[in-house]
Amino acid sequence: MRIGCAAYSYRDFLKEGGGMTLEAFVDECARMGLDGVELTSYYFAAPVTQTRLHEIKRHCFRRGLHILGTAVGSNFAQADEAARREHVRMTREWIDHSVTLGAPVIRVFAGPIPQGATEEQAFEWAVACLREVTEYGAQCGVCVALENHGGITGTADQVLRLVEMLQGPWFGLNLDCGNFHADPYGEIERCAPHAITTHAKRSTRGPAGQEPVDYARVADILRRAGYAGYLSVEYEDKDDPRTAVPEFVAYLQQVVRR
């Protein structure tokens, strides 16, 4: 397994006025000895031009880093059809951007259950959108990775239901190791065979409260499932990521090299 980092880990610094550019984020990842970066869409100033994508692609190459994937904040479970169509359009656009960047996968969300709607309705809306963007991803050579991210993907049962409905060579999971709460390691193990990329949070909220994730245990689960992709840091704890992320990365590097 390789170690990467999502730009979201430095969100407070990458947002407008935060003082960090995407190039500076890439430089920090290179200093940590990482293998790749996830370029979260939120931190590209609009409009996202071919010139800008080429600049950041060149910078990653010159710093020896893969662009391991992109990520969008999609919500395909919205009750309003026009809103769903806009999120499909936005995701398709970022699949095109992924091709330009050379990113093999895009992370997506399914969405929460809208107020006044049923879970079945939310599933129906999300599946239709996910199927459409996955088909488009297949045409472009970009995999679609659905994250377990609350809402209709809050439990392993919900996630596996979606996997069964959407299974195919261009669809898989972005297995977030901090987003299952009822039975974190059991749910990770059930979903691991479908993981094509991951997010590595430092901690999770389990039955006993907030606790660190045991990545030696997680790595063993992933290896048994045949996973050989990225552990991509998504840092969400309260400590300053400029010091906490390098410490967490060093721990993960020890885990995967043992």
Side-chain angles (χ1 to χ4, degrees):
M1 284 178 276
R2 294 176 176 178
I3 309 297
C5 186
Y8 185 77
S9 299
Y10 291 81
R11 59 198 170 278
D12 290 336
F13 301 99
L14 284 167
K15 66 186 180 182
E16 187 175 356
M20 177 181 271
T21 63
L22 276 172
E23 281 85 353
F25 161 70
V26 170
D27 291 343
E28 179 62 17
C29 290
R31 280 192 290 272
M32 287 187 278
L34 291 172
D35 301 300
V37 290
E38 179 188 290
L39 297 179
T40 321
S41 64
Y42 323 148
Y43 309 115
F44 284 82
V48 181
T49 65
Q50 290 279 300
T51 297
R52 179 61 181 138
L53 294 170
H54 289 161
E55 287 173 349
I56 197 69
K57 180 179 182 180
R58 178 190 62 204
H59 193 75
C60 290
F61 170 67
R62 300 272 312 248
R63 296 312 305 265
L65 288 159
H66 297 120
I67 299 175
L68 69 92
T70 60
V72 292
S74 55
N75 179 357
F76 298 135
Q78 298 178 82
D80 182 80
E81 183 178 0
R84 295 198 303 273
R85 296 309 310 164
E86 172 56 22
H87 278 237
V88 167
R89 184 207 63 77
M90 176 266 294
T91 303
R92 287 172 60 112
E93 180 178 73
W94 265 94
I95 288 172
D96 291 337
H97 293 339
S98 300
V99 173
T100 300
L101 290 167
V105 64
I106 184 169
R107 188 288 318 273
V108 300
F109 297 141
I113 302 171
Q115 186 175 3
T118 67
E119 184 171 329
E120 287 303 313
Q121 287 176 311
F123 264 99
E124 181 181 346
W125 294 327
V127 166
C129 295
L130 286 164
R131 185 170 287 127
E132 181 176 343
V133 298
T134 301
E135 289 173 355
Y136 187 70
Q139 295 171 24
C140 299
V142 176
C143 292
V144 172
L146 175 65
E147 181 172 325
N148 52 305
H149 188 74
I152 60 171
T153 57
T155 68
D157 285 342
Q158 292 172 311
V159 170
L160 292 172
R161 180 184 177 190
L162 288 165
V163 167
E164 184 176 353
M165 298 172 79
L166 292 157
Q167 58 184 312
W170 295 94
F171 177 81
L173 298 181
N174 176 65
L175 182 56
D176 191 304
C177 301
N179 279 356
F180 285 133
H181 305 302
D183 177 21
Y185 298 102
E187 293 185 283
I188 288 170
E189 186 162 15
R190 291 175 62 197
C191 293
H194 307 286
I196 56 176
T197 188
T198 73
H199 275 166
K201 287 184 171 64
R202 189 172 71 170
S203 63
T204 189
R205 189 182 71 255
Q210 199 74 12
E211 57 188 28
V213 177
D214 180 351
Y215 277 96
R217 184 175 178 182
V218 169
D220 285 342
I221 290 170
L222 291 171
R223 288 189 183 102
R224 288 197 301 271
Y227 181 78
Y230 271 92
L231 281 176
S232 184
V233 172
E234 187 182 57
Y235 187 77
E236 291 189 343
D237 289 2
K238 294 180 180 179
D239 300 332
D240 189 331
R242 292 172 296 185
T243 55
V245 170
E247 292 172 358
F248 185 40
V249 165
Y251 161 63
L252 292 177
Q253 288 170 333
Q254 288 182 335
V255 165
V256 301
R257 290 169 182 165
R258 66 188 176 89

